[in-house]
């Protein structure tokens, strides 16, 4: 029989709100949810079918829409009897301290385990059952399928293997479960394999989960460290009155510099997708530290870009998720705003307006191919629109953003627009924008520099394998969403917006944050640098004054952008030669060839527009106090007079 080491008996975990589950011995999850535990480390007595095998018994794993043979929502035993089990091979001696369980993720079926035993082993042959006094301890399981239930072991057990043996299950269901194991791997200095695979970071950053107050305090610390390049501001308030804070990082914070592009990261639209929030907080610390250390790459980025970071768009939802902690919130606690709205698809559906107009061939007379107006019903107070959504829209209309990324969780992929299918009644269909090649590049720039996104060997998070597109996906070909931030941003503003899903685990344990930072750090920087790809310039009149709201068109691309209030513009484009036209009301249009190279840095492409003859006549007449006559109106009057004379 293998030898086991027992620690002291300890009391209930007594989890502090927002803390991650570690118990009084400080043991984190082994990583079933984060995929640190591989499929080869999970074994079961029997399985109903492959899609319900042991490898699917991971906390919070989601079933495919069809709950099919490959991707179902739990481990389910092949038989319902007391001899079934699922086990984890930790591959090293581990101090096991607790078990978290869920039922099967399914739209149609109700399957969960209501009680179970726990056994440990050093060799997977001889097993010791966790005792409660003289008898085997029976742990209370789940009473429904989605809410995670934590059970701590009365005594921490040191072993290599841990096995869960269901003893009872829901009357009308089957033995099915998802789980996470809490445990501390014991140090093994002789094991090269484990030392080689342990991720460390050299960055001196605050690797912890921050509640609202702590987030605000961290922003103040960054601002005090780098007062010359940072500014804290808010874009509005949440439903519960929490300010939506943002940090600006720029060499001239608080002002838009002519010719300098504006970039943003948004995180936390879903309050329970916490990793993005912490990554943005780490990013602002990193940029400040590296700027002070005169890191040439970061100095150049800060001095040539106006960066805005909004870490928590849905702070009300986050506070709910924070109370549950990293392991016990399930898949959706805190996802929505306080009034139950999903911000991610709460924006006006401008796609339908554009596509209906195109089908009627009204483009560009009635509906332009850009800057599409928000429908009046959406602006009314009675519309089901979150205050957080309105705040983001006002922010995006005020600042001429060029590129943005919204960080989300629960998957590992970069999604680019359109997010909405064009065909009626379809739920999945490729729906490219006129700028599809640019969006594909932007998505790939993040995915290809992430440590895992394009790794063909990695296991899929839940049901989707995004490797065929190198860790990227067109949003609509994944699942259709009407009124997404990405589509709205593209059709209502100049900003190219993408959704970046930064990890399989929406709310990873605090101990995972250094590794997640290493996974995403280079990608976060590279993606910001893409704001300098394409062409930029200023559209001026003959007196050198910038012309606001001038339209910039690229031949062959059915999507225009407009100049900002100073007449400056930025047009994201891939390398190549482009025929570009600038036009503005009252001015004669101007066209020129602009070349985009492969080196980083947008090509300067300025325009000088001369006023049209009609505009000059109007100016002269207004100067001398005479009202210019509208020529079309005058023609109509003359026609009417002729008709009356004929009558």
């Amino acid at each position: 029989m293998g030898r086991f080491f027992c620690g002291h008996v300890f009391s209930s975990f007594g989890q502090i709100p927002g803390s991650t589950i570690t118990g009084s011995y400080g043991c984190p999850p082994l990583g079933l949810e984060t995929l640190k535990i591989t499929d080869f480390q999970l074994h079961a007595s029997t399985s109903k079918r492959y899609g319900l095998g042991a490898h699917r018994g991971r906390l919070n794993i989601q079933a495919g829409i069809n709950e099919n043979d490959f991707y179902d929502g739990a481990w389910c035993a092949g038989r319902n009897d007391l001899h079934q089990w699922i086990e984890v091979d930790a591959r090293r001696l581990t101090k096991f301290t607790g078990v978290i369980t869920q039922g099967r993720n399914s739209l149609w079926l109700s399957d969960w385990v209501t009680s179970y035993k726990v056994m440990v082993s050093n060799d997977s042959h001889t097993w010791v059952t966790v005792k409660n006094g003289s008898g085997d301890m029976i742990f209370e399981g789940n009473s429904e399928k989605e809410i995670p239930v934590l059970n701590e072991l009365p005594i921490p057990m040191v072993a290599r293997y841990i096995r869960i043996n269901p003893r009872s299950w829901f009357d009308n269901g089957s033995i099915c479960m998802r789980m996470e194991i809490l445990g501390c791997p014991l140090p093994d200095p002789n094991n090269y394999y484990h030392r080689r695979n342990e991720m460390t970071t050299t960055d001196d950053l605050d690797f912890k989960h921050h509640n609202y107050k702590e987030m605000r305090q961290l922003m103040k610390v960054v601002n005090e460290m780098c007062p010359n390049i940072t500014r804290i501001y808010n874009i509005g308030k949440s439903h519960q009155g929490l300010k939506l804070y943002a940090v600006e990082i720029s060499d001239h914070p608080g002002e838009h510099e002519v010719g300098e592009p504006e970039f943003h990261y948004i995180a936390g639209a879903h309050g329970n997708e916490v990793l993005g929030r912490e990554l943005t907080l780490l990013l602002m610390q990193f940029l400040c530290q590296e700027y002070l250390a005169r890191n040439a790459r970061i100095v150049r980025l800060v001095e040539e870009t106006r960066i805005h970071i909004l870490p928590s768009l849905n702070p009300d939802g986050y506070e709910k998720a924070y109370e549950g902690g990293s392991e016990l919130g399930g898949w959706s606690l805190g996802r929505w705003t306080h009034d139950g709205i999903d911000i991610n698809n709460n924006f006006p559906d401008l796609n339908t307006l554009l596509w209906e107009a195109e089908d009627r061939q009204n483009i560009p007379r009635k509906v332009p191919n850009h800057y599409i107006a928000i429908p009046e019903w959406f602006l009314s107070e009675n519309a089901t629109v979150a205050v957080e959504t309105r705040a983001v829209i006002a922010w995006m209309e005020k600042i001429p953003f060029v590129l943005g990324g919204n960080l989300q969780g629960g998957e590992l992929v970069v999604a680019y627009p359109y997010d909405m299918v064009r065909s009626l009644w379809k739920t999945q269909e490729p729906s490219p924008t006129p700028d599809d090649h640019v969006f594909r590049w932007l998505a790939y720039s993040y995915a290809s520099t992430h440590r895992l996104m394009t790794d063909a060997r990695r296991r899929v998070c839940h049901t989707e394998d995004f490797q065929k597109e190198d860790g990227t996906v067109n949003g609509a070909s994944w699942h259709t969403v009407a009124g997404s931030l990405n589509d709205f941003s593209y059709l209502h503003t100049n900003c190219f917006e993408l959704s970046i899903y930064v990890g399989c685990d929406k709310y990873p344990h605090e101990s995972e944050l250094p590794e997640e930072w290493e996974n995403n750090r280079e990608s976060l920087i590279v993606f910001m640098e893409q704001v300098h790809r394409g062409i930029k310039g200023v559209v001026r009149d003959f007196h050198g004054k910038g012309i606001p709201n001038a339209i910039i068109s690229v031949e062959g691309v059915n999507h225009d952008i407009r100049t900002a209030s100073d007449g400056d513009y930025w047009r994201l484009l891939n390398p190549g030669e482009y025929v570009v036209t600038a036009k503005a009301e009252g001015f004669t249009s101007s066209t020129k060839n602009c070349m985009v190279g492969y080196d980083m840095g947008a090509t300067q492409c300025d325009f000088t527009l001369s006023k049209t003859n009609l505009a000059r006549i109007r100016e002269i007449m207004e100067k001398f106090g005479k009202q210019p006559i509208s020529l079309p109106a005058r023609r109509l009057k003359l026609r009417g007079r002729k008709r009356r004379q004929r009558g």
Side-chain angles (χ1 to χ4, degrees):
M1 180 181 286
R3 188 171 169 214
F4 297 94
F5 303 86
C6 297
H8 301 290
V9 176
F10 62 93
S11 61
S12 168
F13 280 64
Q15 187 202 0
I16 301 164
S19 68
T20 45
I21 305 268
T22 52
S24 47
Y25 282 84
C27 288
L30 289 189
L32 275 80
E33 184 175 8
T34 61
L35 307 183
K36 260 191 168 177
I37 295 294
T38 69
D39 288 354
F40 300 110
Q41 291 172 262
L42 298 170
H43 308 279
S45 51
T46 60
S47 299
K48 270 189 177 173
R49 60 173 186 269
Y50 178 78
L52 293 167
H55 65 293
R56 302 297 293 175
R58 301 171 180 273
L59 191 73
N60 286 321
I61 204 160
Q62 302 295 293
I65 294 170
N66 302 318
E67 300 183 21
N68 59 29
D69 287 343
F70 287 98
Y71 302 116
D72 219 318
W75 160 67
C76 289
R79 298 185 299 274
N80 290 335
D81 60 42
L82 299 178
H83 305 294
Q84 304 306 309
W85 49 262
I86 180 170
E87 74 180 41
V88 180
D89 174 6
R91 286 186 174 164
R92 62 198 287 187
L93 282 181
T94 300
K95 181 172 73 175
F96 296 115
T97 60
V99 178
I100 302 169
T101 59
Q102 275 174 316
R104 176 180 177 178
N105 175 249
S106 172
L107 290 172
W108 326 109
L109 300 169
S110 298
D111 298 319
W112 59 84
V113 169
T114 55
S115 69
Y116 58 88
K117 289 182 183 180
V118 176
M119 294 174 269
V120 292
S121 171
N122 277 346
D123 58 10
S124 80
H125 295 293
T126 306
W127 293 87
V128 171
T129 303
V130 174
K131 304 285 185 186
N132 185 12
S134 59
D136 294 349
M137 185 163 185
I138 304 292
F139 293 91
E140 191 175 331
N142 298 82
S143 56
E144 58 88 76
K145 56 191 173 187
E146 288 299 336
I147 298 174
V149 172
L150 162 70
N151 279 296
E152 74 275 9
L153 306 187
I155 303 170
M157 305 289 283
V158 173
R160 172 174 166 173
Y161 300 89
I162 186 167
R163 179 179 282 187
I164 311 301
N165 167 222
R167 307 306 292 173
S168 61
W169 44 94
F170 179 55
D171 286 345
N172 298 320
S174 302
I175 295 176
C176 294
M177 58 191 317
R178 294 174 285 168
M179 65 178 187
E180 181 62 85
I181 305 296
L182 304 182
C184 296
L186 298 185
D188 183 2
N190 300 318
N191 193 323
Y192 170 74
Y193 171 82
H194 291 301
R195 280 186 288 122
R196 187 184 57 147
N197 285 280
E198 281 171 358
M199 170 59 63
T200 56
T201 181
T202 56
D203 294 330
D204 182 20
L205 306 173
D206 191 20
F207 293 107
K208 59 165 283 191
H209 287 298
H210 298 80
N211 64 17
Y212 182 78
K213 187 177 177 183
E214 291 165 339
M215 178 187 76
R216 177 73 180 91
Q217 185 59 37
L218 181 63
M219 288 177 166
K220 279 183 72 176
V221 169
V222 171
N223 181 233
E224 286 163 5
M225 276 181 66
C226 295
N228 296 330
I229 61 163
T230 62
R231 175 177 73 101
I232 302 170
Y233 66 101
N234 73 79
I235 69 165
K237 289 184 178 179
S238 72
H239 189 275
Q240 291 289 85
L242 298 177
K243 288 181 179 176
L244 307 176
Y245 284 112
V247 168
E248 177 193 338
I249 301 174
S250 166
D251 59 342
H252 291 89
E255 63 178 278
H256 170 73
E257 295 178 71
V258 176
E260 187 169 283
E262 309 247 4
F263 175 94
H264 71 247
Y265 275 127
I266 299 172
H270 294 146
N272 64 330
E273 292 171 12
V274 172
L275 179 55
R277 170 192 177 107
E278 294 306 329
L279 287 174
T280 55
L281 293 175
L282 291 166
L283 178 63
M284 62 179 71
Q285 296 171 65
F286 179 79
L287 292 175
C288 170
Q289 286 182 11
E290 294 300 302
Y291 185 86
L292 293 177
R294 305 310 291 171
N295 176 326
R297 182 188 186 190
I298 300 304
V299 168
R300 184 168 62 251
L301 184 65
V302 170
E303 291 182 351
E304 295 178 2
T305 322
R306 192 178 180 209
I307 302 162
H308 303 257
I309 299 174
L310 178 66
S312 188
L313 178 54
N314 180 9
D316 298 347
Y318 175 80
E319 293 302 302
K320 276 186 194 170
Y322 185 78
E323 284 173 23
S326 67
E327 272 62 64
L328 297 185
W331 191 246
S332 58
L333 180 68
R335 175 185 176 91
W336 298 279
T337 63
H338 185 77
D339 49 342
I341 294 172
D342 185 337
I343 295 176
N344 199 44
N345 56 356
N346 190 223
F347 293 83
D349 168 17
L350 304 181
N351 304 56
T352 301
L353 292 177
L354 174 69
W355 294 336
E356 284 181 353
E358 283 181 347
D359 291 342
R360 293 195 302 266
Q361 298 183 330
N362 285 345
I363 297 290
R365 257 176 317 140
K366 292 188 179 175
V367 179
N369 64 11
H370 68 295
Y371 271 49
I372 298 171
I374 296 173
E376 284 195 21
W377 67 264
F378 188 90
L379 301 172
S380 74
E381 287 184 15
N382 297 327
T384 307
V385 181
V387 291
E388 296 89 346
T389 306
R390 294 195 192 279
V392 170
I393 290 174
W395 184 51
M396 295 179 77
E397 289 178 335
K398 181 181 177 183
I399 298 173
F401 291 118
V402 179
L403 178 62
N406 55 87
L407 305 188
Q408 302 194 40
E411 262 301 349
L412 204 52
V413 68
V414 182
Y416 55 90
Y418 291 123
D419 289 330
M420 182 178 173
V421 297
R422 186 159 185 166
S423 304
L424 291 173
W425 315 117
K426 284 196 176 180
T427 57
Q428 291 177 304
E429 176 187 59
S431 187
T433 66
D435 283 288
D436 190 55
H437 291 295
V438 177
F439 274 116
R440 283 173 181 269
W441 167 256
L442 293 170
Y444 184 70
S445 73
Y446 194 100
S448 62
T449 49
H450 188 280
R451 284 187 62 253
L452 298 173
M453 263 187 209
T454 54
D455 184 350
R457 298 166 299 171
R458 78 169 182 87
R459 183 196 185 284
V460 300
C461 290
H462 299 282
T463 64
E464 302 283 349
D465 184 359
F466 298 109
Q467 289 309 310
K468 60 183 179 291
E469 297 284 346
D470 290 317
T472 70
V473 67
N474 171 254
S477 69
W478 180 12
H479 55 254
T480 187
V481 174
S484 76
L485 170 58
N486 295 347
D487 290 4
F488 168 79
S489 179
Y490 183 68
L491 294 175
H492 184 68
T493 75
N494 287 340
C495 185
F496 285 33
E497 183 89 19
L498 293 86
S499 292
I500 302 166
Y501 292 80
V502 289
C504 302
D505 188 350
K506 291 182 176 183
Y507 195 155
H509 187 271
E510 209 160 80
S511 62
E512 298 292 330
L513 294 178
E515 182 168 348
E516 291 294 357
W517 168 246
E518 287 295 318
N519 287 343
N520 287 277
R521 179 184 58 195
E522 179 65 15
S523 305
L524 289 164
I525 297 165
V526 165
F527 188 71
M528 286 191 286
E529 290 172 334
Q530 303 314 304
V531 78
H532 296 285
R533 184 171 292 281
I535 59 173
K536 66 176 182 179
V538 182
V539 180
R540 299 183 177 90
D541 63 18
F542 261 104
H543 304 293
K545 186 180 177 185
I547 303 172
N549 224 29
I551 295 172
I552 306 296
S553 303
V554 177
E555 189 177 280
V557 182
N558 188 25
H559 181 81
D560 303 335
I561 57 135
R562 299 198 186 193
T563 57
S565 55
D566 295 304
D568 47 350
Y569 78 91
W570 308 261
R571 182 55 165 99
L572 296 175
L573 292 166
N574 286 344
E577 189 172 341
Y578 298 91
V579 178
V580 184
T581 300
K583 55 190 173 189
E585 193 174 341
F587 293 87
T588 304
S589 64
S590 173
T591 299
K592 58 171 63 176
N593 286 358
C594 302
M595 189 77 174
V596 177
Y598 285 89
D599 294 337
M600 190 56 71
T603 302
Q604 193 77 25
C605 210
D606 296 326
F607 292 88
T608 301
L609 304 186
S610 56
K611 292 207 166 170
T612 62
N613 290 336
L614 182 58
R616 284 203 195 100
I617 291 166
R618 281 181 174 153
E619 261 187 10
I620 293 165
M621 293 184 77
E622 282 170 8
K623 190 175 179 181
F624 292 101
K626 294 180 181 180
Q627 289 298 315
I629 297 165
S630 171
L631 296 180
R634 192 177 180 190
R635 285 196 200 102
L636 286 170
K637 276 184 183 176
L638 288 169
R639 280 184 200 155
R641 199 177 294 163
K642 284 176 183 174
R643 282 198 198 103
R644 284 195 295 275
Q645 285 170 358
R646 285 185 201 135

